[in-house]
Amino acid sequence: MARELHLNLFIHGRGHHEVAWRHPDSAQRAPTDLAHYRDLALAAEAAKLDSVFFADHVALGQDLGYAARGELEPLTLLGALAAVTQRIGLIATASTTYSEPYNLARQFASLDHLSGGRIGWNIVTSWAPAAAANFGQEHQAGIDQRYERAHEFVEVVSKLWDSWAKDAIRDDREAGVYAHADLIQRTEHRGKHFAVAGALNVPRSPQGRPVFVQAGASTDGRAFAARYAEAIFTAHLQKESAITFYSDIKTQARALGRRPDQIVILPGISAAIGSTEAEAQRVWEELNELAHPSVGLSRLSNRFGGHDFSHLKLDQVLSADDFPDPSQVEASRSRAQLITAYVARERPTLRRLLHSLAGARGHFTATGTPEQIADIIEDWFVSGAADGFNVMPPILPTQFTVFTEEVVPLLRKRGLFRSEYRDGTLRDRLGLDPVPSRFDSPTQEQRSA
Amino acid sequence: MARELHLNLFIHGRGHHEVAWRHPDSAQRAPTDLAHYRDLALAAEAAKLDSVFFADHVALGQDLGYAARGELEPLTLLGALAAVTQRIGLIATASTTYSEPYNLARQFASLDHLSGGRIGWNIVTSWAPAAAANFGQEHQAGIDQRYERAHEFVEVVSKLWDSWAKDAIRDDREAGVYAHADLIQRTEHRGKHFAVAGALNVPRSPQGRPVFVQAGASTDGRAFAARYAEAIFTAHLQKESAITFYSDIKTQARALGRRPDQIVILPGISAAIGSTEAEAQRVWEELNELAHPSVGLSRLSNRFGGHDFSHLKLDQVLSADDFPDPSQVEASRSRAQLITAYVARERPTLRRLLHSLAGARGHFTATGTPEQIADIIEDWFVSGAADGFNVMPPILPTQFTVFTEEVVPLLRKRGLFRSEYRDGTLRDRLGLDPVPSRFDSPTQEQRSA
């Protein structure tokens, strides 16, 4: 079978550009209105996308006067979307640092039941220091500690999701036997961070567990992704770093004994699309003109652990020397590294860097005609930079409408993207192997080993 | 305005009788199938009930072979039901012992947005010892400690829900002002159990916060309910204890400066309804014949902290001496007290006690014609035992269908129950005052005080 392109819609308020909320073309509804998300998910489903995705933070962001803050919590939102969609995958972020494994395992297992096997979990360790203060912690744990806990967290919840055999429930009314008690097993996990007896009180879900998605790109993040991730959202300001990342992850996965096709790598793309190049460029410029440089500077500072950039001038050409050593950043380390590498290579002015980051927070941005955007997608897909894309329209819903109406048909014409859904779960659609169960009978091979 | 009867449907798998899952009239769908819950919620909405409710436990129950265990997690399920219903209230249980305040506050605020103001939170401290072992605790906290934490928990989440003023969001595209930053305030809670900086990252929801529901009936539980609860689910085996409870709660609330009508008391009623008394009796007997006495005994033992009742004979008449002192029970103390009081008064055989508990786990059970059930409801309502009922059909959906088609019209004919929904939130429907906001401008009275 030919390689298949995967497309995920990343839904972020009224669009991914930081001032999308002000743009006259963006949604009029409040970002707390279910109808906004329902309509986007239904549009993505009509276009046969693989999935939609919601990011998450467990703290309120900054720049409250200016930025469109205050959104819905993703797991309850996924519950709602599971009920009003039929086929599209539904992916939500949840934190291994600020959740209890038993609670998280139950909610994802329930969502997988509610959706008939369409759920993915974007596993994050939560980099924002403000989050710690909402959970009784004086100081945020360092990146190493967060990942150490994340490894054990994934181990525990994986055991919990493996509590029930596929055929544990008999539901035999005549005999009065509801379940095979010996096909439901306790967890009995005792580790450094967690002690969880189990069993989970939700039966095995259609996919066994949610698809594991990951977006961390630091050294720790990549090692974690190579071990666990089945789909990766990744941010690149340029194709070159996407190729390096792609190759690094697949190599690391192979070294761990995993098949490289079992990790679907989806770089973000935030494209302003117009019927001409000039029109696309105009959309982007309208957005950039609405952006405040001071807000961009404060966000840049956050990415570098609060570093002060206020002495830099907007038209000044930057070099890597203008930035602190990103390997010392404890919060959003990988994003800081990508920004520094981009500056070293492109030598942008501060204004251009801020515009680039305002577009999609460090993800790849582009302007062009549908043909040009389809070219970029095809180019990255065939040249080892991507297995598909995390589609991040700068303005929602209008720029996503253009994407589905103009770009998706081109990708179909080129034989890259599906025209219809096949039956199956999100795992099946992503080409992922079934999740093994501890109750599976050993195969011939295993028996003779 | 005349007092209005309130009706809540308590949805519990295929029915509240412990063997409902085996009965030929109960739902054929799996208890993990959204369609089962959706159809019940829609039927309750068509009958203009106030709300539907889901209980919860954060551990898998016992008797796995026999009992229908393994359900959906209630908050994700409420998300799904919010999307497919329009008017009915949606109430879910969540634990103050095993949740983080910031996570719980976000999920309920989101649900209140998703549903347009229809959410209630049944506040529990989780009595089952097995729960502690799923959250890294060697031993379950005692009832006093659980309630101490619960008080602080409700204080913290109430502050979090009060982070945003009603009019904090300006959404002024022209001026580039999304929110009034000074109408979003941090929480800065520092207590014995929690330290939470805030602010919540979800804007104020339509009801301000979920309606506070409570079901604990121990001394600690009642004191908690009198302070916080706006609706109470309560279990009684007989009308007398319901009257005592009703009067006690309303008296305690008055002593705390609350208006008694701000607590809506809803005893459970599990009625087998037939077109004749004999037919209703037949349904009940069919269920009891399917029940296993050994399972009933093990459940009774759980209610009394693992006490051994195995020496008792099924046809033996019981007295209170056959039970341990319920005031020493650390788990489900109030239920143990109710059972002991019932035994002392009624002197049932063990068989009869087990049947009574199998029916609805200690809630009031009845058999009768629609007329007889309507009589009970009216009698309790007018004689100071209830403001309405927590309807717990022994078999779902069939016995609920009979309730909506046969009993509800009688309650309407008697002028007790609504024929149409009025506009408004769940709070409005229950006759509850609006939730005050720390941003409210002081009234004339407060200013001159």
Side-chain angles (χ1 to χ4, degrees), chain A residues 143-351:
Chain A
I143 196 167
D144 297 350
Q145 291 162 277
R146 297 205 307 277
Y147 272 102
E148 181 188 277
R149 180 178 154 116
H151 277 275
E152 191 182 333
F153 196 105
V154 173
E155 184 190 337
V156 179
V157 291
S158 296
K159 287 183 198 167
L160 285 167
W161 285 317
D162 201 17
S163 297
W164 296 58
K166 288 185 191 77
D167 53 354
I169 296 175
R170 270 183 65 180
D171 200 4
D172 184 336
R173 294 180 194 232
E174 280 301 311
V177 176
Y178 187 72
H180 285 289
D182 53 355
L183 293 183
I184 304 169
Q185 285 189 18
R186 287 164 66 84
T187 308
E188 304 295 8
H189 175 89
R190 293 198 161 273
K192 180 170 170 190
H193 299 274
F194 306 106
V196 179
L200 196 66
N201 56 0
V202 182
R204 190 177 187 87
S205 72
Q207 297 187 113
R209 59 163 170 76
V211 172
F212 287 165
V213 184
Q214 223 263 350
S218 63
T219 307
D220 287 324
R222 289 182 189 209
F224 188 87
R227 182 173 298 277
Y228 299 111
E230 299 171 305
I232 295 181
F233 297 138
T234 177
H236 298 280
L237 290 166
Q238 49 202 351
K239 184 174 120 186
E240 290 69 21
S241 77
I243 291 175
T244 308
F245 177 84
Y246 187 99
S247 153
D248 176 37
I249 290 288
K250 302 246 170 173
T251 304
Q252 284 197 47
R254 218 181 265 111
L256 291 165
R258 298 184 66 196
R259 286 210 326 273
D261 69 350
Q262 295 298 297
I263 309 185
V264 176
I265 298 183
L266 306 168
I269 182 169
S270 190
I273 308 164
S275 52
T276 62
E277 252 190 277
E279 192 195 315
Q281 193 57 40
R282 186 184 51 73
V283 171
W284 205 255
E285 277 161 17
E286 282 170 7
L287 286 164
N288 282 337
E289 275 161 27
L290 293 170
H292 292 201
S294 66
V295 173
L297 260 184
S298 103
R299 292 191 184 188
L300 184 64
S301 165
N302 282 343
R303 290 291 184 185
F304 285 86
H307 186 81
D308 182 11
F309 293 104
S310 62
H311 58 285
L312 300 177
K313 308 254 174 301
L314 280 174
D315 292 312
Q316 176 176 345
V317 171
L318 302 177
S319 78
D321 298 341
D322 294 315
F323 293 79
D325 178 359
S327 72
Q328 299 306 309
V329 173
E330 278 292 339
S332 174
R333 183 182 296 169
S334 60
R335 206 60 64 88
Q337 284 165 333
L338 283 174
I339 293 168
T340 317
Y342 169 75
V343 166
R345 180 188 170 101
E346 299 281 332
R347 305 295 310 274
T349 61
L350 177 60
R351 188 191 308 276

Side-chain angles (χ1 to χ4, degrees), chain B residues 22-41:
Chain B
R22 297 185 61 181
H23 194 280
D25 292 347
S26 72
Q28 296 299 317
R29 290 194 181 105
T32 47
D33 185 341
L34 170 58
H36 175 64
Y37 305 97
R38 179 198 62 204
D39 290 353
L40 283 166

Side-chain angles (χ1 to χ4, degrees), chain A residues 398-418:
Chain A
T398 46
Q399 279 288 326
F400 183 57
T401 306
V402 180
F403 184 84
T404 58
E405 291 180 355
E406 307 288 340
V407 179
V408 169
L410 292 175
L411 297 173
R412 286 198 181 117
K413 216 172 284 177
R414 298 180 190 190
L416 295 169
F417 193 62
R418 71 181 71 85

